[in-house]
Amino acid sequence: MVPSSTPRDTTRSLLTDAASMRVLAHPTRLRLLGMLRERGPQTAAQLGDVVDEAPGTVSYHLSKLASIDLIQPAEPQSADRRERWWQATTSVTSWEPADLLDDPDQLRASAALQRQIAHTYAARYVEYVDESPTLPREWVAAAASGDRSLRLTSAELAALRADLESVVARWLDASAAHDPAADDGAEPVTVVYQAYRRPGGAGA
């Protein structure tokens, strides 16, 4: 999940108020939302087995996500009609921090959510680094990580952002073509990109 100015569509949830941002700014809720988007409909018990939380605790977090329309009840995927299934409402959550600069409350909520997402990204990458010795060589060789320091205008940075988003968008169809139940060699892949003005300017 990354802040984005892309117009709202049926695949995107747009956060526009501080209360919604505060609801999402919780590590367990971020993880649950990500799992529902990646795995499809799940029950609280199934999700609890992965996040190592009791079903009751998971159900509470799911209800909070449902309260801001990021998830919704799903059709039961088993014969047990007593089970409650949940699904994500969209594939992406976005908001535009630049639109919040004049509202201190919303700006604080946005910053808290961004920090939590940054912690989530960092933890996921550390997990990959720790487990990379156990992965097949071709997957380690195919992975990418790097950074460059550029000197750009704000307009050029905006164009770079659009380019990065278009690159990821080109791979959405390839991703959707892989059936999670099929043994076709595809695995979950995390793509994280960041481009921002470095605080303090060139001398920092």
Side-chain angles (χ1 to χ4, degrees):
M1 292 165 290
V2 295
S4 175
S5 61
T6 303
R8 182 179 178 87
D9 57 40
T10 57
T11 67
R12 185 177 299 268
S13 296
L14 181 65
L15 300 183
T16 59
D17 62 88
S20 296
M21 294 177 198
R22 292 193 184 99
V23 168
L24 188 56
H26 188 287
T28 300
R29 291 172 202 156
L30 282 169
R31 191 175 180 191
L32 292 172
L33 179 59
M35 290 171 59
L36 287 171
R37 285 174 170 165
E38 182 178 317
R39 301 183 179 204
Q42 301 279 303
T43 67
Q46 290 172 327
L47 294 167
D49 287 341
V50 179
V51 301
D52 196 26
E53 295 276 6
T57 301
V58 173
S59 291
Y60 168 76
H61 288 307
L62 292 173
S63 69
K64 299 297 285 186
L65 291 172
S67 73
I68 57 172
D69 298 322
L70 293 181
I71 68 171
Q72 64 187 10
E75 287 296 320
Q77 308 293 305
S78 69
D80 188 349
R81 309 298 292 187
R82 296 170 299 177
E83 292 181 327
R84 190 172 191 183
W85 291 74
W86 294 93
Q87 64 185 8
T89 55
T90 59
S91 59
V92 178
T93 301
S94 67
W95 74 101
E96 182 47 71
D99 293 341
L100 312 178
L101 293 176
D102 296 326
D103 187 320
D105 186 43
Q106 292 198 74
L107 189 59
R108 284 192 296 271
S110 172
L113 178 53
Q114 287 177 287
R115 290 190 195 99
Q116 189 56 62
I117 290 172
H119 288 314
T120 300
Y121 287 160
R124 184 171 293 176
Y125 187 68
V126 168
E127 182 181 17
Y128 161 74
V129 171
D130 289 345
E131 294 188 6
S132 60
T134 68
L135 297 176
R137 183 179 299 273
E138 63 268 23
W139 282 100
V140 178
S145 177
D147 66 89
R148 298 293 294 270
S149 181
L150 306 175
R151 179 173 288 276
L152 303 174
T153 65
S154 59
E156 289 167 338
L157 177 57
L160 173 59
R161 166 180 165 170
D163 285 346
L164 292 170
E165 291 178 346
S166 68
V167 168
V168 175
R170 289 205 307 268
W171 289 94
L172 291 179
D173 288 341
S175 176
H178 292 291
D179 183 350
D183 184 14
D184 60 1
E187 298 288 349
V189 170
T190 296
V191 178
V192 178
Y193 56 88
Q194 297 171 319
Y196 53 89
R197 175 180 169 173
R198 195 168 62 223

